[in-house]
Amino acid sequence: MELPYAEPYKIKTVESIHRSTPEQRKQWIREARYNLFYLDSDQVYIDLLTDSGTGSMSQKQWSAIMSGDEAYAGSRSFIELRETIRELTGFQHVLPTHQGRAAENVLFSTTVKAGDVLPGNAHFDTTKGHIEFRNARAIDCTIDEASRTDLYHPFKGNVDIAKLEQALATYGRDKIPMVIVTITCNSTGGQPVSMENLKQVREFSLQHNIPVFFDSARFAENAYFIKTREEGYAGKEIREIVREMFSYADGMTMSSKKDGLVNIGGFLAMHDHELYRSASHFNIMFEGFLSYGGMAGRDMAALSVGLMEATTFEFLESRIRQVHYLGEKLKAYGIPIQEPFGGHAIFVDAKKFLPEVPKEEYTGQTLAIELYLEGGIRGVEIGTLLADRDPDTRENRYPELELVRLAIPRRVYTRSHMDYIAATLKNVYDRRDRITRGYRILDEAPFMRHFTVELQPL
Ligand code: F0G
């Protein structure tokens, strides 16, 4: 018989996790004011809140930890990291930061002013948060196909160039400090951007002299999708594809907690020396000196190794296959999920799953809570709570998609965990008719409210 696929690693260190009873979970979620961010991790059996900083490091990364150089200035670990980033991306200038949003903070402190607009494919919430915090606006120029969960499109992260042109015509060149392309696009479901589209954005940018930055948290997964889905790339190495992707950008922000395969860290990288100089001041002010920027030397050492591991086909294949195994299982149960499956997560269509729960009662959050109650699984709402209020009108923004994201940490869970997750969803799906009401907000923050919101069941 044909040998089945199996992971290209074995497990050396284990961490115990514990199941709980439905009664315990009922009490815990009430105590957490129905906000899954307020649960203790010990109250969760399988944690799919995020794939950010939750992955397992390899023995090579752990070895690198021991040889980290903790010098305040000129750390060898930084120099090695910079070399790795230069080799992978082609960007000469590198500023380390403590995580991805810190890189955004440094970049936007240098480049964005009140009244500006930053078009791109659907911006991640920290990106949008940092833009709106500066009284600027993020303009979503994702292709329309992205919001149709039942429609197949191999690159649902693509930017609609006509929408970019429209943004330019509406606001004018002077209001647009940069275009941001998020690879893969988290907010549309971990969906990739094609090389073809990156090239088109580049052409637009050169034509109008507008820089392009990539929000690159999951750049390696994006390269995997280009290799496996885009014509002409099947025979190319992941690193060749990565290099080509970045050749269409002026710089990048990075959350190393994803495709850097580390638990904390980020960086900003770019070609332009002047921009590097001005960003450096903010880096020193917010993050730390230029050769550590909020990271320990040992963390930078583990990151250099992680970036190299993440850009191998072997790793990416096992990573994406696991996510897609879960997707196939859910699909077989008839559960409405976004297709094609994303790179880092499966996104459940909560509107279709719970059609009775009105959007004003937070359909996505309602489903996320039900999954926790059923099986101790913690996913996250990507819907109205996350979309927050319009900064001008303070009205709720109702996104087209009301999703629950099941993000899969890298190299952490096994196939039986995937089976358990799928069964949990199936059980909730079987009793969906009895879930008709959602929640109301008791308390919320002025921005990024989903982290700290307090809710009450209706
Ligand atoms: N950009 C993207 C596309 C992200 O997904 C994230 C984080 C960031 C930037 C910010 O990076 O967390 O290191 O500050 N996403 C996490 C998630 C939080 O759960 O998807 P960070």
Side-chain angles (χ1 to χ4, degrees):
M1 87 169 98
E2 199 189 329
L3 297 179
Y5 179 80
E7 287 75 13
Y9 53 85
K10 57 183 179 174
I11 296 165
K12 186 169 267 180
T13 305
V14 294
E15 177 183 347
S16 298
I17 50 175
H18 304 284
R19 293 174 73 164
S20 50
T21 64
E23 291 68 38
Q24 284 175 316
R25 294 195 287 275
K26 230 177 179 167
Q27 185 192 333
W28 292 336
I29 192 71
R30 190 173 52 237
E31 287 166 1
R33 277 89 74 206
Y34 300 93
N35 178 344
L36 295 145
F37 285 97
Y38 278 139
L39 288 173
D40 294 348
S41 63
D42 285 344
Q43 296 169 339
V44 174
Y45 178 49
I46 298 182
D47 205 345
L48 308 181
L49 186 67
T50 178
D51 63 322
S52 179
T54 52
S56 298
M57 291 208 293
S58 66
Q59 61 179 0
K60 282 195 185 145
Q61 288 180 285
W62 283 110
S63 312
I65 289 262
M66 291 306 294
S67 51
D69 176 5
E70 305 302 339
Y72 190 96
S75 158
R76 182 181 64 248
S77 301
F78 170 68
I79 293 166
E80 282 167 9
L81 174 62
R82 189 176 56 193
E83 274 319 300
T84 306
I85 294 167
R86 283 176 175 169
E87 191 186 317
L88 284 174
T89 67
F91 298 125
Q92 286 305 299
H93 301 297
V94 176
L95 288 169
T97 62
H98 78 276
Q99 60 184 85
R101 68 198 71 183
E104 293 165 0
N105 187 29
V106 170
L107 177 64
F108 298 157
S109 293
T110 323
T111 51
V112 176
K113 54 184 190 321
D116 281 351
V117 296
L118 288 86
N121 55 355
H123 306 62
F124 184 64
D125 55 328
T126 59
T127 318
K128 203 196 261 169
H130 272 295
I131 291 170
E132 291 179 351
F133 177 70
R134 291 174 168 80
N135 292 317
R137 289 280 174 281
I139 312 262
D140 185 353
C141 298
T142 321
I143 54 168
D144 290 336
E145 288 90 332
S147 54
R148 295 265 313 275
T149 54
D150 53 345
L151 190 98
Y152 183 86
H153 186 296
F155 293 101
K156 279 186 174 174
N158 279 358
V159 180
D160 186 333
I161 305 296
K163 290 184 188 171
L164 276 189
E165 298 280 2
Q166 183 61 46
L168 178 66
T170 311
Y171 300 99
R173 164 67 190 92
D174 293 346
K175 291 271 181 246
I176 306 181
M178 68 181 73
V179 172
I180 297 178
V181 186
T182 305
I183 52 174
T184 57
C185 186
N186 193 356
S187 308
T188 61
Q191 299 291 328
V193 181
S194 70
M195 195 72 91
E196 175 72 28
N197 191 242
L198 294 177
K199 271 188 221 172
Q200 291 167 340
V201 173
R202 187 46 157 180
E203 275 160 29
F204 170 88
S205 119
L206 291 176
Q207 199 182 341
H208 303 289
N209 193 25
I210 301 173
V212 179
F213 270 72
F214 290 170
D215 175 352
S216 318
R218 301 178 183 85
F219 73 95
E221 292 177 5
N222 201 84
Y224 174 88
F225 285 118
I226 289 175
K227 183 176 166 76
T228 53
R229 289 186 188 164
E230 192 163 349
E231 215 186 302
Y233 289 93
K236 297 211 167 156
E237 298 283 339
I238 293 292
R239 288 194 197 126
E240 255 182 288
I241 297 173
V242 165
R243 193 67 194 223
E244 185 183 341
M245 279 163 33
F246 286 116
S247 75
Y248 303 127
D250 297 282
M252 67 186 287
T253 55
M254 177 70 188
S255 168
S256 306
K257 304 169 74 171
K258 286 85 167 173
D259 282 353
L261 294 178
V262 291
N263 303 113
I264 194 75
F267 59 87
L268 179 60
M270 68 211 86
H271 290 306
D272 188 71
H273 185 67
E274 276 315 303
L275 179 62
Y276 168 74
R277 294 273 298 172
S278 39
S280 293
H281 306 311
F282 289 103
N283 215 75
I284 293 172
M285 193 155 67
F286 297 142
E287 294 298 299
F289 186 60
L290 305 177
S291 59
Y292 74 89
M295 291 184 77
R298 67 179 83 95
D299 289 335
M300 291 189 283
L303 175 56
S304 299
V305 180
L307 286 168
M308 294 310 279
E309 288 180 357
T311 48
T312 59
F313 184 73
E314 196 182 41
F315 161 73
L316 288 165
E317 184 185 33
S318 71
R319 157 79 177 145
I320 308 279
R321 263 178 181 265
Q322 186 178 46
V323 175
H324 290 201
Y325 173 82
L326 175 63
E328 291 298 344
K329 240 184 151 153
L330 295 176
K331 206 174 142 182
Y333 289 148
I335 292 165
I337 52 182
Q338 178 170 48
E339 288 192 75
F341 310 139
H344 65 295
I346 295 297
F347 291 73
V348 186
D349 189 330
K351 271 192 206 168
K352 287 190 189 149
F353 197 117
L354 298 177
E356 300 290 317
V357 179
K359 63 182 192 302
E360 293 79 8
E361 298 181 9
Y362 310 105
T363 320
Q365 181 69 7
T366 304
L367 179 58
I369 292 168
E370 288 300 327
L371 296 181
Y372 175 69
L373 289 170
E374 180 69 31
I377 292 171
R378 171 158 68 174
V380 71
E381 185 245 28
I382 308 272
T384 306
L385 280 181
L386 180 72
D388 222 311
R389 292 181 187 276
D390 184 287
D392 298 326
T393 65
R394 301 306 300 159
E395 291 297 322
N396 267 332
R397 288 189 278 216
Y398 292 104
E400 265 177 78
L401 293 179
E402 190 73 41
L403 302 167
V404 173
R405 184 183 76 171
L406 307 172
I408 311 296
R410 293 167 183 77
R411 305 190 288 211
V412 170
Y413 292 114
T414 65
R415 184 169 283 207
S416 20
H417 290 118
M418 299 303 123
D419 293 338
Y420 177 97
I421 298 161
T424 302
L425 269 98
K426 168 85 166 75
N427 286 352
V428 178
Y429 197 54
D430 286 347
R431 60 177 173 80
R432 65 188 181 280
D433 293 349
R434 280 173 278 145
I435 306 168
T436 55
R437 297 302 305 266
Y439 292 80
R440 73 181 188 89
I441 291 180
L442 289 179
D443 190 47
E444 66 181 282
F447 46 83
M448 293 204 207
R449 63 177 178 182
H450 62 292
F451 287 118
T452 54
V453 72
E454 298 187 10
L455 299 163
Q456 188 182 51
L458 285 163

